[in-house]
Amino acid sequence: MDGVAPSAVVFPGSFDPIHNGHLDLIERAGRVFPQVIVAVLKNVSKAQWFSVEDRMRIVRESVKSLPNVRVEQSAGLLAEFVEQSGAHLILRGIRSGADLDYERPMAITNQALAPGVETIFLLASPHFAHLSATLVKELAVFGADLSRWVPPAAQAAIARRSRQENDGHPRE
Ligand code: ADP
């Protein structure tokens, strides 16, 4: 493998909001790859709690102590974003067999769209394998303490949103 430069890896997601399962994956990837580019996806099919600007701000705040992690927005095709960023790897997390079934067609499609770009997978750490942004939001609706599951910036954004909902004000 002499002469093969290690590649940056792109970690895409909606991060609505980022939680400790995502952060665990980012930290682990940062120990393996020279650079991790967190790509916050603008056009996601799921309904979002937070705007892409807010999601990026929360992610940036949450990874600010990690020197080889940068945060960018991806508004179009992920394959194009990865090619433009000069990376050759897409990283996704696998919590379960259902995740793998969901990921398989996307990985094959991205390989067809951007030959040479590979999708690689890291298994979720057992401590976080149950965690999803959907679960975080369900807990948030009922006012649960989220400090174990999300970074402080996400906790603050959720609290702000809850206050706005309770006051009957439109969301940020
Ligand atoms: P998407 O909408 O693209 O699935 P998410 O923000 O939900 O975006 O997830 C982004 C990535 O993080 C996906 O690869 C997902 O599998 C992974 N991921 C989500 N939750 C966890 C977790 N608890 N542990 C490890 N990886 C996770």
Side-chain angles (χ1 to χ4, degrees):
M1 295 288 282
D2 279 355
V4 177
S7 174
V9 67
V10 174
F11 182 45
S14 32
F15 306 109
D16 184 49
I18 189 166
H19 55 65
N20 290 347
H22 295 131
L23 277 176
D24 177 64
L25 219 74
I26 293 168
E27 284 171 13
R28 287 162 59 206
R31 291 198 285 271
V32 177
F33 298 99
Q35 183 163 53
V36 180
I37 303 167
V38 180
V40 180
L41 305 179
K42 182 174 185 194
N43 304 315
V44 276
S45 46
K46 309 175 206 166
Q48 302 294 310
W49 266 24
F50 299 103
S51 67
V52 68
E53 291 79 15
D54 281 344
R55 287 182 277 131
M56 286 195 43
R57 181 180 49 74
I58 300 165
V59 176
R60 279 216 172 102
E61 177 68 22
S62 306
V63 302
K64 67 180 181 204
S65 64
L66 303 172
N68 61 340
V69 177
R70 70 171 206 257
V71 184
E72 289 184 12
Q73 183 185 141
S74 171
L77 274 178
L78 178 64
E80 283 175 8
F81 173 90
V82 175
E83 281 186 323
Q84 280 161 16
S85 70
H88 300 105
L89 296 173
I90 298 170
L91 170 69
R92 297 286 287 174
I94 297 290
R95 289 162 291 187
S96 64
D99 270 357
L100 187 57
D101 287 344
Y102 175 76
E103 295 295 336
R104 194 190 314 267
M106 292 201 293
I108 293 169
T109 306
N110 282 325
Q111 205 175 35
L113 291 172
V117 171
E118 295 286 349
T119 302
I120 59 161
F121 302 96
L122 281 179
L123 291 180
S125 294
H127 193 54
F128 297 119
H130 65 290
L131 199 54
S132 66
T134 303
L135 180 64
V136 165
K137 287 181 275 193
E138 278 169 10
L139 291 169
V141 167
F142 295 105
D145 174 13
L146 298 173
S147 53
R148 265 182 302 171
W149 311 123
V150 300
Q155 224 185 328
I158 289 169
R160 211 162 36 241
R161 185 185 187 278
S162 301
R163 277 198 303 275
Q164 286 170 346
E165 297 268 292
N166 291 338
D167 293 350
H169 292 154
R171 284 188 247 134
E172 305 183 320

